Amino acid sequence: DADVTQTPRNRITKTGKRIMLECSQTKGHDRMYWYRQDPGLGLRLIYYSFDVKDINKGEISDGYSVSRQAQAKFSLSLESAIPNQTALYFCATSDPNPGQGALGSYNEQFFGPGTRLTVL
Amino acid sequence: AQSVAQPEDQVNVAEGNPLTVKCTYSVSGNPYLFWYVQYPNRGLQFLLKYITGDNLVKGSYGFEAEFNKSQTSFHLKKPSALVSDSALYFCAVRDRGSTLGRLYFGRGTQLTVWP
């Protein structure tokens, strides 16, 4: 989806290096997510943010950190990359249904094109 | 706990034949259910969702899915497969009662449609 962009698209790095993956969106959505995809494991949630002041850990947050610089930007950092962090990383956004309040967030998520990260 | 199972890693079907990609789920409350498709070197694209109402949901590219509460299933179907339908398909669920809004994804099913 061209409304959600990720940079870089591909990155090869070495063990111990610090890496930042960036996500930007023009959808005006409050909610943003970072997932990693590994073959045979599907998508696993790393972190998610419901607004610039709200950040939550997902199921595999160890070794990662995030920053929500603005409503439109959500960055994922690997402070000291290790080989088992080699994966495809996706950013996604969503927006709650304005008529449903806090429980109304059943709208689908919109995904960026992904960043393929290789840690040697 | 929420979870999704896609029991088949791969589904192979001939073009023109009907296809089914299976999904079962487990949530503590009532579910919202989604199907996404991923083409090579692309991000996930939304196909369809079940929120409430009619158990048969129609989505993009001629796909449909049927919500079956008693069997906790949400199988994806298409009456006549196309070679261009070949892709990786993900089922996802979230608990309707959860305020967190996060999705839980299955491991994916690789669909191959041969000519």
Side-chain angles (χ1 to χ4, degrees):
Chain A
D1 192 318
D3 297 326
V4 184
T5 58
Q6 294 183 233
T7 56
R9 293 293 310 278
N10 289 282
R11 181 71 183 269
I12 300 174
T13 191
K14 295 181 179 180
T15 297
K17 294 291 187 180
R18 184 179 187 275
I19 297 297
M20 178 179 285
L21 309 182
E22 300 190 359
C23 176
S24 296
Q25 53 112 346
T26 58
K27 288 189 164 294
H29 289 172
D30 285 329
R31 302 186 175 199
M32 298 187 73
Y33 310 78
W34 274 105
Y35 294 90
R36 66 176 278 176
Q37 182 182 15
D38 299 276
L41 296 179
L43 276 74
R44 294 182 291 169
L45 183 65
I46 307 173
Y47 271 96
Y48 58 107
S49 170
F50 284 179
D51 63 41
V52 294
K53 299 178 182 179
D54 180 83
I55 291 179
N56 305 278
K57 291 183 177 181
E59 55 192 302
I60 54 163
S61 59
D62 288 348
Y64 302 94
S65 62
V66 291
S67 173
R68 185 79 184 267
Q69 301 96 322
Q71 186 206 39
K73 297 184 181 295
F74 191 37
S75 300
L76 176 71
S77 293
L78 288 67
E79 296 300 326
S80 180
I82 55 177
N84 75 2
Q85 292 177 313
T86 293
L88 189 54
Y89 290 84
F90 287 105
C91 173
T93 74
S94 71
D95 211 27
N97 185 298
Q100 297 286 328
L103 296 180
S105 179
Y106 56 72
N107 288 341
E108 62 271 23
Q109 294 182 10
F110 296 86
F111 285 79
T115 294
R116 186 169 297 280
L117 176 66
T118 302
V119 183
L120 302 176
Chain B
Q2 280 68 244
S3 67
V4 176
Q6 293 181 242
E8 300 158 317
D9 292 333
Q10 295 214 8
V11 170
N12 300 306
V13 64
E15 188 173 33
N17 283 359
L19 70 87
T20 299
V21 182
K22 296 180 180 178
C23 171
T24 59
Y25 65 89
S26 174
V27 295
S28 54
N30 292 315
Y32 296 141
L33 294 155
F34 302 82
W35 275 102
Y36 287 83
V37 59
Q38 184 182 26
Y39 297 101
N41 301 313
R42 301 286 296 276
L44 276 70
Q45 298 178 29
F46 168 76
L47 271 182
L48 51 79
K49 63 184 177 186
Y50 170 80
I51 303 299
T52 188
D54 195 345
N55 289 343
L56 184 63
V57 178
K58 294 186 183 297
S60 306
Y61 312 121
F63 284 93
E64 58 187 29
E66 186 167 11
F67 170 61
N68 187 317
K69 187 173 183 178
S70 63
Q71 297 184 2
T72 61
S73 67
F74 190 56
H75 301 331
L76 181 70
K77 300 181 179 183
K78 188 173 182 180
S80 179
L82 300 172
V83 172
S84 57
D85 293 329
S86 298
L88 187 57
Y89 290 81
F90 290 97
C91 182
V93 67
R94 65 153 288 203
D95 186 345
R96 185 180 305 223
S98 170
T99 58
L100 299 180
R102 57 162 295 184
L103 292 178
Y104 293 83
F105 286 84
R107 296 186 174 188
T109 298
Q110 180 67 48
L111 172 67
T112 301
V113 182
W114 71 82

